[in-house]
Amino acid sequence: MGRKWSCIAWCGVRYDRDMRRAALLLLTVLLALGPASVGAQIYRWVDDNGVPHFADGIDSVPDRYRGRAVPLGLKNEPAPGPSAPGAAGAKPASGGATIRFIPGQRIMVDVKINGNGEAQLMLDTGADRTLISPRALLAAGVRIAAPAGTGQIVGATGSERIQFVVVESLEVGEARVGRMPVGSFNLPTADTGDGLLGRDFLDQFNMNIDASRGVVTLSPK
């Protein structure tokens, strides 16, 4: 079996035994930000079966589909250098949100990336950083080939290197955090959706989890 990289929010919500064990794996995420380079466009193309794909640069699109590939435009500018104010953290948050879930099950959250790209992330109060799949980031116009920095997930069975990119905004309902680094990472389990919504976003708000009613509320601090 492959490694499991996940960390689950307990918050009075009951999870299965495998996910409890996985909660012990994510111990720390180390983030080293640096300047990113500006490069190629992100392209969207649809294969013969009608399945959409996203590629970083026209050279990454198969030859037979390049004629139908559409540039999306870049939605993430180069990250500020390590000495710039706020280089390693999120910008101030605004708004609030109500998230509903089925008691006893994982809390899945619909998010918007850069105001238009959509993803579903698992709310995880044990994760220091938000992790989003490369496909969801590309679909939102976020270039991941030139990362803003690198990080490392350290777990009980080893470590995994990940790349960090800067998104212009991340939104849950009306709760919004602008310009923040997120990890570009494919979690090995499909039941976590497109990734994890971590404390770098959640800690920007007052959060209350009512496990009996199946309601999470985010309100401005």
Side-chain angles (χ1 to χ4, degrees), residues 100-132:
R100 300 190 181 278
F101 64 96
I102 300 174
Q105 296 189 13
R106 300 175 185 89
I107 305 174
M108 304 305 296
V109 184
D110 293 324
V111 305
K112 283 189 175 181
I113 307 167
N114 293 340
N116 56 0
E118 297 181 352
Q120 188 177 65
L121 307 179
M122 187 177 72
L123 186 149
D124 187 349
T125 61
D128 292 333
R129 297 285 177 175
T130 294
L131 305 179
I132 304 177

Side-chain angles (χ1 to χ4, degrees), residues 54-213:
F54 302 90
D56 196 343
I58 191 65
D59 292 340
S60 299
V61 179
D63 291 342
R64 61 184 296 188
Y65 297 116
R66 288 183 185 177
R68 67 180 77 169
V70 178
L72 297 181
L74 295 178
K75 303 292 177 58
N76 58 324
E77 299 174 357
S83 61
K91 282 190 174 180
S94 62
T98 299
I99 304 163
R100 300 190 181 278
F101 64 96
I102 300 174
Q105 296 189 13
R106 300 175 185 89
I107 305 174
M108 304 305 296
V109 184
D110 293 324
V111 305
K112 283 189 175 181
I113 307 167
N114 293 340
N116 56 0
E118 297 181 352
Q120 188 177 65
L121 307 179
M122 187 177 72
L123 186 149
D124 187 349
T125 61
D128 292 333
R129 297 285 177 175
T130 294
L131 305 179
I132 304 177
S133 71
R135 187 184 188 283
L137 291 170
L138 285 170
V142 180
R143 186 167 189 245
I144 60 177
T150 59
Q152 186 176 25
I153 298 177
V154 181
T157 60
S159 62
E160 187 85 8
R161 299 292 298 178
I162 61 175
Q163 294 180 332
F164 279 81
V165 296
V166 175
V167 298
E168 292 302 319
S169 65
L170 196 64
E171 302 172 47
V172 176
E174 297 298 320
R176 180 183 186 278
V177 174
R179 194 165 177 81
M180 61 177 284
V182 301
S184 172
F185 188 70
N186 277 317
L187 293 171
T189 56
D191 52 6
T192 55
D194 297 306
L196 304 177
L197 184 65
R199 292 204 313 270
D200 50 353
F201 180 91
L202 299 171
D203 286 354
Q204 307 301 312
F205 303 90
N206 292 314
M207 181 176 66
N208 179 68
I209 299 179
D210 189 331
S212 61
R213 294 175 53 220

